[in-house]
Amino acid sequence: YVRQKAYYHFLSNGALLPQSSLSEKISDEEYLTGIITMNQDIARYAIGRATERDVNSVMLSRDLISSILDHLMKYDFRNGHLRRKYDGVKYALKTTETVLYELSVTGADIEKSSGEEHLTKKSKPEDSDEINKLLPEDELEHLRKRMEHRDELREKLIKRCRDGQKAAKQAIYALHRDDIKKASQLISDCEKNILEQLMPIVEEEPTLRYGSYSNVLEEYAEAKLYFAWLLGKSDECNDRSNPVGVLLLPEDFNLIPLQVEDYIGGLCDLTGEIGRYAVKKGTLRDAETVRFCLETDMSIIYALESLSRLPGGNIGKKMEPLRRSIEKLEKMLYELSLVKATGRNVVSEANDGDPGKE
């Protein structure tokens, strides 16, 4: 949309479309994407005008692309989609310069055509009036500052997300080691990190909601889900030898509300932890608990497959590992049934250190 509007504005006025002239609400990234890709259209326009020997139009195209490129060089696009599109502006400028060169060698008077109407490569840097005719300099400078501030917030968010994600992962490891107290403390640390360190940044800049922040929420959801599945919602289960089997619902996350994709992502990852727990119980020949783990995983996949459409993101990629986890648990149950059928007496624990017992 911005690309089409900007190109039409160029054809009508010979200048770059200001962001403020757009009636629709357009984000800074969308506006930059539009004006960057528009340079390809200007380069094609310049080729078309060159066939008519319209040197002035070709030079205007070259000057605008050059001015846009000069402004874009002030940004730090990193390795995002804007960085890849930014390279196209260089090729568009090269195209217009090549066309001008070809016109000059075929007899066109480039110097005479330039006159005072266009900003040429020989213009002095202090000719800011000519630049302002091509670009809305003040608006672009404000946009650049907003982008820089957003980049600073993104860097700060990424660094702080590491602490929250680390705490959630360590909480899961602690649960596998039956260290309930430490797991509970680590989940609290993760919640504190999200509420005090991460949420204020996301509230200031909502576009940072996806990426590192959503990954932390998924990891947090997985830790909370696994904790509740083992011990229940309130950790009041006295018998910790077997899982309670409680699956938290999205509304159970009162302290830190989750979006649908965050909850489902954590739910899919939960099946991996249940699979590891089942392996632990399988080594003790606890077939009933392994069967319970299998039933939990199957109930999750049935619930997800009953949805008319899965959320976006990486949820679709997590379905195949979930199916493989179910297949492994089914195979484990089959092997345990073979052990039982053979009548083998498997000792799962040490005989209290008494060498006389067998």
Side-chain angles (χ1 to χ4, degrees):
Y1 171 76
V2 176
R3 178 177 180 175
Q4 183 269 332
K5 284 284 190 180
Y7 184 50
Y8 180 80
H9 185 83
F10 165 74
L11 295 178
S12 303
N13 302 281
L16 180 65
L17 173 73
Q19 186 177 7
S20 59
S21 64
L22 295 168
S23 56
E24 293 78 4
K25 186 177 180 180
I26 301 295
S27 68
D28 293 339
E29 287 80 3
E30 291 170 339
Y31 175 73
L32 282 175
T33 300
I35 65 173
I36 287 174
T37 54
M38 181 238 351
N39 288 278
Q40 305 299 325
D41 301 320
I42 297 178
R44 291 179 60 192
Y45 166 80
I47 294 174
R49 297 313 304 162
T51 60
E52 303 295 329
R53 311 291 291 178
D54 185 357
V55 178
N56 286 339
S57 294
V58 177
M59 294 190 67
L60 177 61
S61 301
R62 190 278 311 273
D63 295 340
L64 179 59
I65 296 175
S66 179
S67 298
I68 293 174
L69 181 61
D70 289 343
H71 177 75
L72 294 176
M73 291 178 69
K74 301 176 183 178
Y75 291 79
D76 183 8
F77 288 127
R78 306 180 189 278
N79 291 324
H81 71 283
L82 287 175
R83 177 65 179 83
R84 293 188 291 271
K85 294 181 183 298
Y86 161 76
D87 290 335
V89 183
K90 301 176 185 178
Y91 298 125
L93 178 60
K94 181 179 179 181
T95 297
T96 56
E97 290 177 339
T98 301
V99 169
L100 276 175
Y101 168 74
E102 292 170 345
L103 287 174
S104 68
V105 298
T106 55
D109 193 344
I110 304 298
E111 294 296 331
K112 184 176 180 181
S113 299
S114 63
E116 297 179 354
E117 298 178 3
H118 305 292
L119 177 67
T120 68
K121 295 183 72 175
K122 294 183 179 180
S123 298
K124 296 181 180 179
E126 56 265 21
D127 294 337
S128 58
D129 292 340
E130 291 294 337
I131 298 177
N132 289 332
K133 292 179 181 178
L134 295 174
L135 301 181
E137 284 290 320
D138 292 339
E139 284 194 23
L140 290 176
E141 185 60 23
H142 287 308
L143 186 150
R144 185 184 66 81
K145 291 180 179 179
R146 290 196 301 271
M147 293 287 290
E148 284 186 353
H149 179 62
R150 193 173 297 117
D151 286 341
E152 292 174 0
L153 290 178
R154 181 183 292 109
E155 288 298 317
K156 187 184 298 184
L157 181 69
I158 291 173
K159 291 179 180 178
R160 294 179 178 180
C161 280
R162 297 185 186 125
D163 295 333
Q165 197 162 11
K166 180 181 178 181
K169 285 182 179 294
Q170 289 181 341
I172 295 172
Y173 297 153
L175 288 171
H176 281 299
R177 297 191 303 269
D178 297 324
D179 192 346
I180 308 304
K181 184 177 180 180
K182 184 176 181 180
S184 180
Q185 180 60 48
L186 287 168
I187 290 176
S188 298
D189 293 343
C190 181
E191 291 173 338
K192 183 178 180 181
N193 174 264
I194 294 173
L195 291 172
E196 298 181 4
Q197 302 292 326
L198 306 183
M199 272 192 177
I201 297 177
V202 174
E203 289 173 356
E204 180 180 353
E205 186 53 57
T207 58
L208 300 178
R209 171 65 176 73
Y210 303 96
S212 298
Y213 180 71
S214 61
N215 292 337
V216 174
L217 292 184
E218 272 193 23
E219 202 71 40
Y220 165 70
E222 180 186 357
K224 287 280 288 185
L225 285 165
Y226 188 45
F227 188 94
W229 184 78
L230 286 175
L231 306 167
K233 293 183 180 180
S234 57
D235 187 19
E236 295 179 353
C237 177
N238 294 323
D239 181 15
R240 296 183 177 180
S241 60
N242 294 309
V244 177
V246 173
L247 288 179
L248 297 179
L249 299 175
E251 53 266 26
D252 293 324
F253 290 84
N254 299 319
L255 186 61
I256 302 175
L258 303 178
Q259 292 189 0
V260 175
E261 54 267 28
D262 301 326
Y263 173 76
I264 294 182
L267 190 63
C268 290
D269 293 338
L270 169 67
T271 60
E273 307 308 329
I274 293 176
R276 294 182 182 91
Y277 182 84
V279 170
K280 177 182 176 181
K281 289 298 182 178
T283 59
L284 302 176
R285 303 300 188 263
D286 188 351
E288 289 303 317
T289 303
V290 174
R291 181 176 290 106
F292 183 75
C293 294
L294 174 61
E295 291 172 353
T296 302
D297 281 2
M298 291 184 68
S299 66
I300 292 174
I301 195 171
Y302 289 158
L304 294 178
E305 289 180 341
S306 67
L307 298 176
S308 58
R309 182 178 63 86
L310 289 174
N314 296 323
I315 304 300
K317 297 179 181 179
K318 295 184 178 184
M319 292 298 291
E320 188 58 31
L322 173 53
R323 295 187 182 95
R324 288 199 299 267
S325 178
I326 291 175
E327 292 175 359
K328 290 178 181 178
L329 293 183
E330 290 172 339
K331 185 176 180 181
M332 188 186 303
L333 269 179
Y334 169 69
E335 292 171 347
L336 289 175
S337 70
L338 293 179
V339 171
K340 183 178 180 180
T342 59
R344 295 170 59 189
N345 184 20
V346 180
V347 179
S348 58
E349 296 181 353
N351 293 323
D352 299 326
D354 187 352
K357 295 183 179 181
E358 295 184 358

